[in-house]
Amino acid sequence: QVQLVESGGGLVQPGGSLRLSCAASGFTFSSYAMNWYRQAPGKERELVAAITSAGDSTNYAGSVKGRFTISRDNAQKTVYLQMKSLKPEDTAVYYCNGKRVVGLREYDFWGQGTQVTVSS
């Protein structure tokens, strides 16, 4: 059974930091690119950060570049999102996503999300 379980969300003041974790099970984690998405109330889900299966390349949305860092531990089957200098506009539900394309088939797994609220 495929599972992606996020943790680490919560309430933080502007300028603060949080680290999100996403623990994977039920699939070959090291073969999947991993992504963090977020969705704020009334807005579409957006890609925040991405990391390749080997962890050798990352990509970020412009709004978080320089403040967020995505990383992974393939031995622990976990992907992380370190967030610093948080702003109220970072408030959203954050989702972990695993994705792999094999030929014409795409495998796409999602976690249940964790709430991040940035407020004083």
Side-chain angles (χ1 to χ4, degrees):
Q1 180 184 359
V2 171
Q3 279 194 309
L4 289 172
V5 180
E6 300 100 334
S7 60
L11 174 64
V12 63
Q13 291 188 340
S17 299
L18 280 176
R19 188 174 86 150
L20 305 183
S21 299
C22 173
S25 61
F27 64 100
T28 308
F29 180 77
S30 59
S31 295
Y32 281 69
M34 297 300 297
N35 310 296
W36 285 97
Y37 284 78
R38 68 185 180 187
Q39 188 166 22
K43 295 188 176 181
E44 293 190 353
R45 191 173 295 190
E46 63 170 341
L47 178 64
V48 174
I51 188 167
T52 55
S53 57
D56 54 354
S57 182
T58 58
N59 200 16
Y60 299 92
S63 58
V64 307
K65 196 171 291 186
R67 300 188 297 119
F68 290 12
T69 302
I70 188 171
S71 61
R72 67 189 295 161
D73 184 335
N74 283 348
Q76 297 296 321
K77 299 182 181 180
T78 302
V79 61
Y80 305 96
L81 186 67
Q82 178 68 52
M83 306 184 293
K84 63 180 182 180
S85 302
L86 283 161
K87 305 174 181 180
E89 51 263 42
D90 294 319
T91 296
V93 178
Y94 284 71
Y95 297 92
C96 176
N97 165 253
K99 190 167 295 184
R100 182 185 183 193
V101 177
V102 181
L104 297 177
R105 187 165 181 176
E106 182 176 275
Y107 299 85
D108 202 17
F109 305 135
W110 291 88
Q112 82 288 350
T114 186
Q115 176 71 47
V116 172
T117 302
V118 185
S119 175
S120 55

PDB file of all heavy atoms in Angstrom, residues 67-82:
ATOM      1  N   ARG A  67      14.718  30.790   0.176  1.00  0.00           N
ATOM      2  CA  ARG A  67      14.148  30.641   1.519  1.00  0.00           C
ATOM      3  C   ARG A  67      13.836  29.191   1.855  1.00  0.00           C
ATOM      4  O   ARG A  67      13.909  28.797   3.022  1.00  0.00           O
ATOM      5  CB  ARG A  67      12.864  31.472   1.638  1.00  0.00           C
ATOM      6  CG  ARG A  67      13.046  32.947   1.403  1.00  0.00           C
ATOM      7  CD  ARG A  67      11.774  33.732   1.730  1.00  0.00           C
ATOM      8  NE  ARG A  67      10.648  33.358   0.880  1.00  0.00           N
ATOM      9  CZ  ARG A  67       9.500  32.842   1.346  1.00  0.00           C
ATOM     10  NH1 ARG A  67       9.318  32.659   2.639  1.00  0.00           N
ATOM     11  NH2 ARG A  67       8.517  32.543   0.506  1.00  0.00           N
ATOM     12  N   PHE A  68      13.487  28.397   0.854  1.00  0.00           N
ATOM     13  CA  PHE A  68      13.122  26.993   1.061  1.00  0.00           C
ATOM     14  C   PHE A  68      14.213  26.096   0.483  1.00  0.00           C
ATOM     15  O   PHE A  68      14.812  26.422  -0.541  1.00  0.00           O
ATOM     16  CB  PHE A  68      11.799  26.657   0.370  1.00  0.00           C
ATOM     17  CG  PHE A  68      10.569  27.270   0.988  1.00  0.00           C
ATOM     18  CD1 PHE A  68      10.651  28.275   1.952  1.00  0.00           C
ATOM     19  CD2 PHE A  68       9.310  26.842   0.594  1.00  0.00           C
ATOM     20  CE1 PHE A  68       9.510  28.830   2.516  1.00  0.00           C
ATOM     21  CE2 PHE A  68       8.171  27.385   1.143  1.00  0.00           C
ATOM     22  CZ  PHE A  68       8.272  28.378   2.099  1.00  0.00           C
ATOM     23  N   THR A  69      14.403  24.946   1.117  1.00  0.00           N
ATOM     24  CA  THR A  69      15.350  23.953   0.625  1.00  0.00           C
ATOM     25  C   THR A  69      14.709  22.577   0.675  1.00  0.00           C
ATOM     26  O   THR A  69      14.257  22.138   1.736  1.00  0.00           O
ATOM     27  CB  THR A  69      16.637  23.946   1.462  1.00  0.00           C
ATOM     28  OG1 THR A  69      17.229  25.258   1.447  1.00  0.00           O
ATOM     29  CG2 THR A  69      17.637  22.945   0.896  1.00  0.00           C
ATOM     30  N   ILE A  70      14.694  21.909  -0.468  1.00  0.00           N
ATOM     31  CA  ILE A  70      14.194  20.533  -0.531  1.00  0.00           C
ATOM     32  C   ILE A  70      15.380  19.584  -0.475  1.00  0.00           C
ATOM     33  O   ILE A  70      16.436  19.858  -1.074  1.00  0.00           O
ATOM     34  CB  ILE A  70      13.334  20.301  -1.798  1.00  0.00           C
ATOM     35  CG1 ILE A  70      12.675  18.927  -1.753  1.00  0.00           C
ATOM     36  CG2 ILE A  70      14.146  20.506  -3.066  1.00  0.00           C
ATOM     37  CD1 ILE A  70      11.637  18.708  -2.863  1.00  0.00           C
ATOM     38  N   SER A  71      15.213  18.482   0.239  1.00  0.00           N
ATOM     39  CA  SER A  71      16.265  17.468   0.309  1.00  0.00           C
ATOM     40  C   SER A  71      15.599  16.118   0.511  1.00  0.00           C
ATOM     41  O   SER A  71      14.402  16.035   0.799  1.00  0.00           O
ATOM     42  CB  SER A  71      17.245  17.770   1.453  1.00  0.00           C
ATOM     43  OG  SER A  71      16.587  17.760   2.709  1.00  0.00           O
ATOM     44  N   ARG A  72      16.375  15.068   0.357  1.00  0.00           N
ATOM     45  CA  ARG A  72      15.821  13.723   0.512  1.00  0.00           C
ATOM     46  C   ARG A  72      16.876  12.810   1.084  1.00  0.00           C
ATOM     47  O   ARG A  72      18.082  13.013   0.903  1.00  0.00           O
ATOM     48  CB  ARG A  72      15.292  13.187  -0.816  1.00  0.00           C
ATOM     49  CG  ARG A  72      16.348  12.925  -1.871  1.00  0.00           C
ATOM     50  CD  ARG A  72      15.696  12.608  -3.212  1.00  0.00           C
ATOM     51  NE  ARG A  72      14.944  11.355  -3.171  1.00  0.00           N
ATOM     52  CZ  ARG A  72      14.000  11.032  -4.061  1.00  0.00           C
ATOM     53  NH1 ARG A  72      13.692  11.879  -5.044  1.00  0.00           N
ATOM     54  NH2 ARG A  72      13.370   9.875  -3.961  1.00  0.00           N
ATOM     55  N   ASP A  73      16.391  11.762   1.740  1.00  0.00           N
ATOM     56  CA  ASP A  73      17.229  10.695   2.270  1.00  0.00           C
ATOM     57  C   ASP A  73      16.649   9.398   1.734  1.00  0.00           C
ATOM     58  O   ASP A  73      15.631   8.916   2.232  1.00  0.00           O
ATOM     59  CB  ASP A  73      17.224  10.734   3.797  1.00  0.00           C
ATOM     60  CG  ASP A  73      18.156   9.706   4.411  1.00  0.00           C
ATOM     61  OD1 ASP A  73      18.447   8.682   3.759  1.00  0.00           O
ATOM     62  OD2 ASP A  73      18.567   9.916   5.560  1.00  0.00           O
ATOM     63  N   ASN A  74      17.270   8.847   0.717  1.00  0.00           N
ATOM     64  CA  ASN A  74      16.711   7.652   0.092  1.00  0.00           C
ATOM     65  C   ASN A  74      16.794   6.430   1.010  1.00  0.00           C
ATOM     66  O   ASN A  74      15.959   5.533   0.914  1.00  0.00           O
ATOM     67  CB  ASN A  74      17.403   7.381  -1.238  1.00  0.00           C
ATOM     68  CG  ASN A  74      16.898   8.306  -2.334  1.00  0.00           C
ATOM     69  OD1 ASN A  74      15.895   9.001  -2.174  1.00  0.00           O
ATOM     70  ND2 ASN A  74      17.607   8.334  -3.457  1.00  0.00           N
ATOM     71  N   ALA A  75      17.755   6.404   1.873  1.00  0.00           N
ATOM     72  CA  ALA A  75      17.858   5.284   2.825  1.00  0.00           C
ATOM     73  C   ALA A  75      16.697   5.313   3.822  1.00  0.00           C
ATOM     74  O   ALA A  75      16.179   4.269   4.211  1.00  0.00           O
ATOM     75  CB  ALA A  75      19.189   5.353   3.554  1.00  0.00           C
ATOM     76  N   GLN A  76      16.280   6.510   4.215  1.00  0.00           N
ATOM     77  CA  GLN A  76      15.171   6.666   5.153  1.00  0.00           C
ATOM     78  C   GLN A  76      13.831   6.843   4.454  1.00  0.00           C
ATOM     79  O   GLN A  76      12.790   6.933   5.113  1.00  0.00           O
ATOM     80  CB  GLN A  76      15.424   7.874   6.067  1.00  0.00           C
ATOM     81  CG  GLN A  76      16.647   7.735   6.955  1.00  0.00           C
ATOM     82  CD  GLN A  76      16.498   6.595   7.939  1.00  0.00           C
ATOM     83  OE1 GLN A  76      15.409   6.372   8.494  1.00  0.00           O
ATOM     84  NE2 GLN A  76      17.575   5.853   8.149  1.00  0.00           N
ATOM     85  N   LYS A  77      13.849   6.891   3.106  1.00  0.00           N
ATOM     86  CA  LYS A  77      12.619   7.058   2.318  1.00  0.00           C
ATOM     87  C   LYS A  77      11.845   8.292   2.770  1.00  0.00           C
ATOM     88  O   LYS A  77      10.618   8.237   2.994  1.00  0.00           O
ATOM     89  CB  LYS A  77      11.746   5.811   2.395  1.00  0.00           C
ATOM     90  CG  LYS A  77      12.419   4.565   1.851  1.00  0.00           C
ATOM     91  CD  LYS A  77      11.491   3.362   1.910  1.00  0.00           C
ATOM     92  CE  LYS A  77      12.172   2.111   1.378  1.00  0.00           C
ATOM     93  NZ  LYS A  77      11.279   0.933   1.438  1.00  0.00           N
ATOM     94  N   THR A  78      12.553   9.375   2.908  1.00  0.00           N
ATOM     95  CA  THR A  78      11.948  10.600   3.407  1.00  0.00           C
ATOM     96  C   THR A  78      12.427  11.796   2.581  1.00  0.00           C
ATOM     97  O   THR A  78      13.599  11.873   2.206  1.00  0.00           O
ATOM     98  CB  THR A  78      12.319  10.817   4.889  1.00  0.00           C
ATOM     99  OG1 THR A  78      11.888   9.683   5.644  1.00  0.00           O
ATOM    100  CG2 THR A  78      11.646  12.059   5.447  1.00  0.00           C
ATOM    101  N   VAL A  79      11.491  12.704   2.334  1.00  0.00           N
ATOM    102  CA  VAL A  79      11.823  13.958   1.685  1.00  0.00           C
ATOM    103  C   VAL A  79      11.482  15.091   2.642  1.00  0.00           C
ATOM    104  O   VAL A  79      10.522  14.986   3.418  1.00  0.00           O
ATOM    105  CB  VAL A  79      11.101  14.109   0.328  1.00  0.00           C
ATOM    106  CG1 VAL A  79       9.600  14.105   0.486  1.00  0.00           C
ATOM    107  CG2 VAL A  79      11.574  15.345  -0.421  1.00  0.00           C
ATOM    108  N   TYR A  80      12.290  16.132   2.601  1.00  0.00           N
ATOM    109  CA  TYR A  80      12.152  17.242   3.536  1.00  0.00           C
ATOM    110  C   TYR A  80      11.952  18.559   2.803  1.00  0.00           C
ATOM    111  O   TYR A  80      12.371  18.716   1.649  1.00  0.00           O
ATOM    112  CB  TYR A  80      13.412  17.362   4.406  1.00  0.00           C
ATOM    113  CG  TYR A  80      13.784  16.112   5.141  1.00  0.00           C
ATOM    114  CD1 TYR A  80      14.728  15.230   4.623  1.00  0.00           C
ATOM    115  CD2 TYR A  80      13.182  15.806   6.359  1.00  0.00           C
ATOM    116  CE1 TYR A  80      15.074  14.073   5.305  1.00  0.00           C
ATOM    117  CE2 TYR A  80      13.524  14.655   7.044  1.00  0.00           C
ATOM    118  CZ  TYR A  80      14.465  13.791   6.509  1.00  0.00           C
ATOM    119  OH  TYR A  80      14.796  12.643   7.186  1.00  0.00           O
ATOM    120  N   LEU A  81      11.333  19.483   3.494  1.00  0.00           N
ATOM    121  CA  LEU A  81      11.263  20.849   3.000  1.00  0.00           C
ATOM    122  C   LEU A  81      11.605  21.771   4.169  1.00  0.00           C
ATOM    123  O   LEU A  81      10.811  21.914   5.102  1.00  0.00           O
ATOM    124  CB  LEU A  81       9.884  21.199   2.447  1.00  0.00           C
ATOM    125  CG  LEU A  81       9.791  22.579   1.786  1.00  0.00           C
ATOM    126  CD1 LEU A  81      10.618  22.626   0.499  1.00  0.00           C
ATOM    127  CD2 LEU A  81       8.331  22.942   1.477  1.00  0.00           C
ATOM    128  N   GLN A  82      12.798  22.343   4.121  1.00  0.00           N
ATOM    129  CA  GLN A  82      13.217  23.314   5.128  1.00  0.00           C
ATOM    130  C   GLN A  82      12.744  24.682   4.678  1.00  0.00           C
ATOM    131  O   GLN A  82      13.089  25.122   3.575  1.00  0.00           O
ATOM    132  CB  GLN A  82      14.729  23.291   5.297  1.00  0.00           C
ATOM    133  CG  GLN A  82      15.253  24.302   6.297  1.00  0.00           C
ATOM    134  CD  GLN A  82      14.858  23.975   7.720  1.00  0.00           C
ATOM    135  OE1 GLN A  82      15.060  22.869   8.197  1.00  0.00           O
ATOM    136  NE2 GLN A  82      14.277  24.948   8.422  1.00  0.00           N
TER     137      GLN A  82
END
